[in-house]
């Protein structure tokens, strides 16, 4: 097929257009959709391999289900690019992830086809069950007058089934009346393939048209006779599951929870998926369809290196050659400084271990996994477990460095309080991607960790201004007696090329004065201190700049100096202005009788959308120019 030849895709503006095709046309549509994704993402980077792997599932769902009236809940959202293209956003897909463009993940504010927010993993089953119960409670039928009511489908994949919330949802699904369909998009998870002739026979029997028609008629007759109450229905399901388990020598968790299981099937056979969906959609009770897919399917480079092609950046669509820029003279990424320093510290301290919830390459813990595989643990998409697991190791003598993306750490809030802080355990929680992250948007911005963690007793909370400071904070955190220690740092590059400084202790709760002045004091927290230095150059005002380093405990000597010397103070942070670092400074000054005019710069009280980090910093008013204007504006009051 020629690059710009889309015989079918060009005719599809919404899911209704898709449903006008014959089933025999669907394989060609899948090839065209896959080609469109490849061409678009080669010049406008985004999440690549996951969406390629879900093409056939996407096409089949919109072909069989009456979307948007029927509900499809995606989990995770980065497998849904094909969904966006088929539901009226093909012409605007070139703006995906760009400032002012379409959202990087499904968003109900953007399209009625997007039923729920899905930037984080593992929420689809719970949300979809809620929708199914709502439809049942309100007596809603779908637009075709379907007697069974609105169909609701949860599509969970790309590792999301390893999240604890998914199993909480499954537990509720199995215990409440519903007709939810769960599709497990399994692209190499830990659910074994079914092998052998008898097992295949059972799978075909379970999903065969005659079998399901007979089962449905039998269950309806028994129900009408009053012989098939809910407890008895579940008992029959358990009996059927037990028979299948005895014959196949295998049982899976879904059948153990009274959820009818079908699969695994080929997730790239679109006509077969259509057949299965048609049989399953009218079936009463909860059911799970297990589909095996290949991440990056249909594009060889992505099939061979799925991790690299998860989000590969720009590339040549014909050759698969990724566009690379010379970064040899640029400062390193904070994550790489973390990865290299962790290994360096682990060589010196045999008690150090590393923990990551499914992000070893994203946070650079893969460096330690390669050199010290027995001391680094990837626990899957399970942030709460990652923290409590670290707490358990710390309780019995190890020194865990638990690395979690800031936005994802929200799912481990109780674990941080109950399983680490309460016990004063020496766990170092490294919050990667803190602050504005850019094109992934509001579901991924690390906006709330400062405000959320600041009230928790026993925590030390620090943020480095640059890469050498990160190394020193990591070294400090693993020293004896430091207790629970949080270090937050941003996505992307720092500001220091020559970053391999000696490993030295930083006194906990001690900041540093970077420049003195007499008119205004600027207190920065974290890497935005670099932007402050840029902003202050050339100002006619005499401005003092303090890099506070710690938000808990605060440097009280610096705050006392600021309170005594300055009538005008500016605080700046890459985090929520409400309850964050600036609020902590304001509280301390007020508690100690100081009343300067204080301006707090930080993320505003709304969800900042997607775009490049510089664009979003301007929106939030925390870029160098905004800092300059804020300092100058205070002087004119």
């Amino acid at each position: 097929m020629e690059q710009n030849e889309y015989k079918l895709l060009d005719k599809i503006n919404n899911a209704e257009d898709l449903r006008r095709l014959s089933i025999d046309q669907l394989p060609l549509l899948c090839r065209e959709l896959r080609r469109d994704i490849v061409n678009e993402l080669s010049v406008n980077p985004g999440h690549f391999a996951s969406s390629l792997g879900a093409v056939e599932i996407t096409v089949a769902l919109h072909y069989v289900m009456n979307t948007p009236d029927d509900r499809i809940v995606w989990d995770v959202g980065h497998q849904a690019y094909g969904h966006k293209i088929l539901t009226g956003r093909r012409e605007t897909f070139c703006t995906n992830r760009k400032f002012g463009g379409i959202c990087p993940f499904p968003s109900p504010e953007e399209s009625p086809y997007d039923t729920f927010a899905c930037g984080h993993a593992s929420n689809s089953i719970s949300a979809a069950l809620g929708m199914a119960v709502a439809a049942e409670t309100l007596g809603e039928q779908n637009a075709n007058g379907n007697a069974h009511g609105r169909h609701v489908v949860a599509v969970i994949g790309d590792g999301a089934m390893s999240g604890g919330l998914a199993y909480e949802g499954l537990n509720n699904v199995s215990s409440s009346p519903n007709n939810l369909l769960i599709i497990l998009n399994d692209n190499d998870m830990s659910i074994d393939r079914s092998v052998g002739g008898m097992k295949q026979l059972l799978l075909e029997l379970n999903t065969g048209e005659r079998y399901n028609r007979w089962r449905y008629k039998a269950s309806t007759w028994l129900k009408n006779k009053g012989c098939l109450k809910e407890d008895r229905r579940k008992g029959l399901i358990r009996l059927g599951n037990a028979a299948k388990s005895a014959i196949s020598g295998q049982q899976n968790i879904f059948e153990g929870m009274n959820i009818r299981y079908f699969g695994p099937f080929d997730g790239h056979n679109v006509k077969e998926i259509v057949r299965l969906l048609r049989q399953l959609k009218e079936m009463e009770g909860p059911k799970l369809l297990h589909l095996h897919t290949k991440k990056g399917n249909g594009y060889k480079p992505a099939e061979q290196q799925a991790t690299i092609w998860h989000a590969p950046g720009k590339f040549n669509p014909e050759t698969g050659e990724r566009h690379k820029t010379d970064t040899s003279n640029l400062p390193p990424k904070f994550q790489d400084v973390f990865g290299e320093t962790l290994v360096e510290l682990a060589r010196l301290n045999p008690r150090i271990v590393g923990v990551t919830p499914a992000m070893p390459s994203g946070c650079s813990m893969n460096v330690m996994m390669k050199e010290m595989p027995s001391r680094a643990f990837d626990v899957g998409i399970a942030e709460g477990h990652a923290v409590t697991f670290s707490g358990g190791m710390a309780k019995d003598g190890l020194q865990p460095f638990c690395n979690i993306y800031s936005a994802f750490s929200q799912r481990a809030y109780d674990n941080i309080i109950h399983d680490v802080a309460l016990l004063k355990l020496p766990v170092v929680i490294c919050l990667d991607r803190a602050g504005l992250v850019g094109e992934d948007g509001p579901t991924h911005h690390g906006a709330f960790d400062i405000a959320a963690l600041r009230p928790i007793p026993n925590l030390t909370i620090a943020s480095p201004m640059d890469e050498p400071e990160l190394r020193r904070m990591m070294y400090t955190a693993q020293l004896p007696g430091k207790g629970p220690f949080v270090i937050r740092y941003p996505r992307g590059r720092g500001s220091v090329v020559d970053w391999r400084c000696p490993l030295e202790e930083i006194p906990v709760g001690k900041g540093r004065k970077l420049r003195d002045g007499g008119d205004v004091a600027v207190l920065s927290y974290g890497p935005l201190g670099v932007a402050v230095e840029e902003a202050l150059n050339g100002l006619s005002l005499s401005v003092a700049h303090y890099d506070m380093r710690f938000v808990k405990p605060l440097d009280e000597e610096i705050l006392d100096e600021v309170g005594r010397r300055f009538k005008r103070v500016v605080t700046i942070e890459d985090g929520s202005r409400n309850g964050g670092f600036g609020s902590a400074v304001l509280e301390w000054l007020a508690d100690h009788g100081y009343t300067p005019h204080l301006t707090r710069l930080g993320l505003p009280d709304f969800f900042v959308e997607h775009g490049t980090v510089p664009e979003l910093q301007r929106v939030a008013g925390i870029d160098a120019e905004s800092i300059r204007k804020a300092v100058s504006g205070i002087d004119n009051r």
Side-chain angles (χ1 to χ4, degrees), residues 539-558:
L539 281 183
S540 58
L541 292 170
S542 176
V543 182
H545 178 204
Y546 300 87
D547 169 26
M548 294 299 288
R549 286 175 166 161
F550 296 87
V551 70
K552 187 183 182 92
L554 289 165
D555 189 327
E556 298 190 5
E557 290 184 7
I558 285 180

mmCIF file of all heavy atoms in Angstrom, residues 539-558:
data_model
loop_
_atom_site.group_PDB
_atom_site.id
_atom_site.type_symbol
_atom_site.label_atom_id
_atom_site.label_comp_id
_atom_site.label_asym_id
_atom_site.label_seq_id
_atom_site.Cartn_x
_atom_site.Cartn_y
_atom_site.Cartn_z
ATOM 1 N N LEU A 539 18.483 42.829 36.395
ATOM 2 C CA LEU A 539 17.485 43.648 37.086
ATOM 3 C C LEU A 539 18.171 44.786 37.842
ATOM 4 O O LEU A 539 19.260 44.630 38.393
ATOM 5 C CB LEU A 539 16.687 42.799 38.073
ATOM 6 C CG LEU A 539 15.575 41.910 37.521
ATOM 7 C CD1 LEU A 539 14.859 41.206 38.668
ATOM 8 C CD2 LEU A 539 14.577 42.709 36.699
ATOM 9 N N SER A 540 17.506 45.930 37.880
ATOM 10 C CA SER A 540 18.055 47.073 38.610
ATOM 11 C C SER A 540 17.855 46.920 40.108
ATOM 12 O O SER A 540 18.524 47.585 40.906
ATOM 13 C CB SER A 540 17.398 48.374 38.123
ATOM 14 O OG SER A 540 15.991 48.312 38.301
ATOM 15 N N LEU A 541 16.930 46.058 40.498
ATOM 16 C CA LEU A 541 16.681 45.826 41.915
ATOM 17 C C LEU A 541 17.831 45.049 42.551
ATOM 18 O O LEU A 541 18.545 44.306 41.866
ATOM 19 C CB LEU A 541 15.390 45.029 42.103
ATOM 20 C CG LEU A 541 14.071 45.723 41.748
ATOM 21 C CD1 LEU A 541 12.947 44.701 41.756
ATOM 22 C CD2 LEU A 541 13.779 46.819 42.736
ATOM 23 N N SER A 542 17.974 45.200 43.846
ATOM 24 C CA SER A 542 18.932 44.415 44.624
ATOM 25 C C SER A 542 18.172 43.234 45.226
ATOM 26 O O SER A 542 17.383 43.399 46.157
ATOM 27 C CB SER A 542 19.560 45.267 45.729
ATOM 28 O OG SER A 542 20.417 44.486 46.542
ATOM 29 N N VAL A 543 18.382 42.052 44.655
ATOM 30 C CA VAL A 543 17.559 40.888 45.011
ATOM 31 C C VAL A 543 18.437 39.798 45.617
ATOM 32 O O VAL A 543 19.462 39.423 45.048
ATOM 33 C CB VAL A 543 16.828 40.331 43.774
ATOM 34 C CG1 VAL A 543 15.943 39.170 44.176
ATOM 35 C CG2 VAL A 543 16.002 41.425 43.108
ATOM 36 N N ALA A 544 18.025 39.302 46.765
ATOM 37 C CA ALA A 544 18.679 38.146 47.382
ATOM 38 C C ALA A 544 17.970 36.879 46.918
ATOM 39 O O ALA A 544 16.747 36.849 46.792
ATOM 40 C CB ALA A 544 18.622 38.254 48.899
ATOM 41 N N HIS A 545 18.768 35.833 46.680
ATOM 42 C CA HIS A 545 18.198 34.568 46.228
ATOM 43 C C HIS A 545 18.681 33.447 47.137
ATOM 44 O O HIS A 545 19.884 33.248 47.311
ATOM 45 C CB HIS A 545 18.606 34.278 44.775
ATOM 46 C CG HIS A 545 18.087 32.963 44.269
ATOM 47 N ND1 HIS A 545 18.689 32.268 43.236
ATOM 48 C CD2 HIS A 545 17.017 32.199 44.658
ATOM 49 C CE1 HIS A 545 18.017 31.164 43.008
ATOM 50 N NE2 HIS A 545 17.017 31.092 43.855
ATOM 51 N N TYR A 546 17.714 32.724 47.687
ATOM 52 C CA TYR A 546 18.001 31.598 48.564
ATOM 53 C C TYR A 546 17.478 30.307 47.922
ATOM 54 O O TYR A 546 16.295 30.220 47.561
ATOM 55 C CB TYR A 546 17.318 31.775 49.920
ATOM 56 C CG TYR A 546 17.744 33.008 50.680
ATOM 57 C CD1 TYR A 546 17.102 34.231 50.462
ATOM 58 C CD2 TYR A 546 18.770 32.966 51.618
ATOM 59 C CE1 TYR A 546 17.463 35.374 51.159
ATOM 60 C CE2 TYR A 546 19.138 34.100 52.332
ATOM 61 C CZ TYR A 546 18.488 35.305 52.090
ATOM 62 O OH TYR A 546 18.848 36.433 52.783
ATOM 63 N N ASP A 547 18.353 29.322 47.768
ATOM 64 C CA ASP A 547 17.936 27.975 47.357
ATOM 65 C C ASP A 547 17.657 27.205 48.636
ATOM 66 O O ASP A 547 18.579 26.807 49.359
ATOM 67 C CB ASP A 547 19.053 27.309 46.549
ATOM 68 C CG ASP A 547 18.802 25.826 46.311
ATOM 69 O OD1 ASP A 547 17.618 25.423 46.303
ATOM 70 O OD2 ASP A 547 19.786 25.069 46.141
ATOM 71 N N MET A 548 16.368 26.937 48.912
ATOM 72 C CA MET A 548 15.993 26.410 50.222
ATOM 73 C C MET A 548 16.300 24.919 50.384
ATOM 74 O O MET A 548 16.404 24.422 51.509
ATOM 75 C CB MET A 548 14.510 26.680 50.475
ATOM 76 C CG MET A 548 14.176 28.161 50.598
ATOM 77 S SD MET A 548 15.022 28.949 51.977
ATOM 78 C CE MET A 548 14.147 28.271 53.373
ATOM 79 N N ARG A 549 16.361 24.195 49.292
ATOM 80 C CA ARG A 549 16.685 22.770 49.311
ATOM 81 C C ARG A 549 15.618 21.898 49.982
ATOM 82 O O ARG A 549 15.255 20.852 49.460
ATOM 83 C CB ARG A 549 18.017 22.514 50.017
ATOM 84 C CG ARG A 549 19.255 22.886 49.263
ATOM 85 C CD ARG A 549 20.439 22.681 50.169
ATOM 86 N NE ARG A 549 21.716 22.680 49.505
ATOM 87 C CZ ARG A 549 22.875 22.883 50.135
ATOM 88 N NH1 ARG A 549 22.872 23.073 51.447
ATOM 89 N NH2 ARG A 549 24.020 22.850 49.476
ATOM 90 N N PHE A 550 15.134 22.276 51.145
ATOM 91 C CA PHE A 550 14.196 21.458 51.921
ATOM 92 C C PHE A 550 12.902 22.235 52.155
ATOM 93 O O PHE A 550 12.925 23.415 52.496
ATOM 94 C CB PHE A 550 14.795 21.076 53.284
ATOM 95 C CG PHE A 550 16.015 20.207 53.194
ATOM 96 C CD1 PHE A 550 17.278 20.773 53.063
ATOM 97 C CD2 PHE A 550 15.908 18.828 53.236
ATOM 98 C CE1 PHE A 550 18.411 19.973 52.979
ATOM 99 C CE2 PHE A 550 17.045 18.022 53.150
ATOM 100 C CZ PHE A 550 18.295 18.595 53.019
ATOM 101 N N VAL A 551 11.782 21.544 51.982
ATOM 102 C CA VAL A 551 10.507 22.108 52.390
ATOM 103 C C VAL A 551 10.093 21.569 53.753
ATOM 104 O O VAL A 551 9.237 22.113 54.425
ATOM 105 C CB VAL A 551 9.419 21.825 51.327
ATOM 106 C CG1 VAL A 551 9.040 20.353 51.295
ATOM 107 C CG2 VAL A 551 8.187 22.685 51.553
ATOM 108 N N LYS A 552 10.743 20.460 54.158
ATOM 109 C CA LYS A 552 10.491 19.895 55.489
ATOM 110 C C LYS A 552 11.742 19.145 55.922
ATOM 111 O O LYS A 552 12.100 18.140 55.268
ATOM 112 C CB LYS A 552 9.290 18.949 55.433
ATOM 113 C CG LYS A 552 8.837 18.423 56.802
ATOM 114 C CD LYS A 552 7.687 17.440 56.636
ATOM 115 C CE LYS A 552 7.199 16.948 57.970
ATOM 116 N NZ LYS A 552 6.115 17.723 58.530
ATOM 117 N N PRO A 553 12.488 19.595 56.930
ATOM 118 C CA PRO A 553 12.215 20.833 57.666
ATOM 119 C C PRO A 553 12.730 22.059 56.906
ATOM 120 O O PRO A 553 13.682 21.958 56.127
ATOM 121 C CB PRO A 553 13.009 20.619 58.963
ATOM 122 C CG PRO A 553 14.170 19.764 58.547
ATOM 123 C CD PRO A 553 13.642 18.851 57.481
ATOM 124 N N LEU A 554 12.088 23.181 57.125
ATOM 125 C CA LEU A 554 12.542 24.438 56.532
ATOM 126 C C LEU A 554 13.785 24.941 57.255
ATOM 127 O O LEU A 554 14.007 24.639 58.437
ATOM 128 C CB LEU A 554 11.434 25.492 56.634
ATOM 129 C CG LEU A 554 10.202 25.280 55.731
ATOM 130 C CD1 LEU A 554 9.057 26.166 56.210
ATOM 131 C CD2 LEU A 554 10.540 25.582 54.275
ATOM 132 N N ASP A 555 14.585 25.716 56.536
ATOM 133 C CA ASP A 555 15.761 26.348 57.146
ATOM 134 C C ASP A 555 15.296 27.582 57.917
ATOM 135 O O ASP A 555 15.040 28.643 57.345
ATOM 136 C CB ASP A 555 16.770 26.740 56.063
ATOM 137 C CG ASP A 555 18.094 27.203 56.663
ATOM 138 O OD1 ASP A 555 18.083 27.800 57.755
ATOM 139 O OD2 ASP A 555 19.143 26.978 56.026
ATOM 140 N N GLU A 556 15.168 27.430 59.227
ATOM 141 C CA GLU A 556 14.621 28.506 60.040
ATOM 142 C C GLU A 556 15.590 29.674 60.174
ATOM 143 O O GLU A 556 15.151 30.820 60.361
ATOM 144 C CB GLU A 556 14.219 27.968 61.420
ATOM 145 C CG GLU A 556 13.125 26.909 61.328
ATOM 146 C CD GLU A 556 12.543 26.553 62.685
ATOM 147 O OE1 GLU A 556 12.926 27.198 63.682
ATOM 148 O OE2 GLU A 556 11.705 25.643 62.737
ATOM 149 N N GLU A 557 16.881 29.424 60.065
ATOM 150 C CA GLU A 557 17.832 30.532 60.123
ATOM 151 C C GLU A 557 17.657 31.450 58.913
ATOM 152 O O GLU A 557 17.680 32.682 59.036
ATOM 153 C CB GLU A 557 19.260 30.000 60.190
ATOM 154 C CG GLU A 557 19.607 29.319 61.507
ATOM 155 C CD GLU A 557 21.068 28.890 61.545
ATOM 156 O OE1 GLU A 557 21.829 29.250 60.606
ATOM 157 O OE2 GLU A 557 21.454 28.196 62.499
ATOM 158 N N ILE A 558 17.490 30.849 57.730
ATOM 159 C CA ILE A 558 17.257 31.669 56.537
ATOM 160 C C ILE A 558 15.942 32.418 56.669
ATOM 161 O O ILE A 558 15.856 33.623 56.363
ATOM 162 C CB ILE A 558 17.256 30.788 55.272
ATOM 163 C CG1 ILE A 558 18.679 30.367 54.914
ATOM 164 C CG2 ILE A 558 16.605 31.526 54.091
ATOM 165 C CD1 ILE A 558 18.782 29.496 53.682
#
